Amino acid sequence: PICDAPPTDKELVQTTELEAALRACPGGVFESDAELRHRQQVLGRVNAMVREWIKDTSLEKNMHETLVDAVGGQIFTFGSYRLGVHTKGGDIDTLVVAPQQVTRKDFFTSFYQRLKDHSDVK
């Protein structure tokens, strides 16, 4: 069961000691504010790419132009990044949610190609 009681004095001391030990690791474990901002900017750009790709894919599948602007789709993060416990240089687990006309095959073909062709993607 999940405990909703506040941490004890002993747990607070242990947390402080653990954070100090992690900060002392060679190369660092925690990201700087600049590194965290960079991750957030990258996620914003990926989300914009996903939304543009969903619109383009919907048009290719003969969806009426007036409906294309209303189609949804976006990315969601999960895992250690979402929980705020990721380490410096760690990956970002990301899920793409798209409307039903956009298929897994579309994702692994046309979106993959779009990423591959993008100058900022390594």
Side-chain angles (χ1 to χ4, degrees), residues 47-58 63 66-76 96-102:
N47 195 50
M49 287 178 69
V50 164
R51 293 192 53 82
E52 181 182 336
W53 165 73
I54 287 172
K55 287 180 181 181
D56 292 347
T57 302
S58 297
M63 179 176 267
T66 58
L67 297 175
V68 169
D69 287 330
V71 296
Q74 67 183 71
I75 62 171
F76 293 93
V96 173
V97 176
Q100 65 184 4
Q101 72 272 11
V102 180

Side-chain angles (χ1 to χ4, degrees), residues 3 5 33 37 41 44 60 74 79 81 90 101 107 115 117 121:
C3 177
D33 289 341
R37 277 192 305 276
Q41 290 169 348
E60 289 171 9
Q74 67 183 71
Y81 177 79
Q101 72 272 11
F107 177 82
L115 285 173
D117 294 343
V121 178

Side-chain angles (χ1 to χ4, degrees), residues 10-26:
K10 180 181 178 183
E11 291 169 333
L12 290 172
V13 168
Q14 289 173 328
T15 297
T16 301
E17 290 172 350
L18 176 59
E19 286 178 355
L22 291 172
R23 290 186 196 288
C25 288

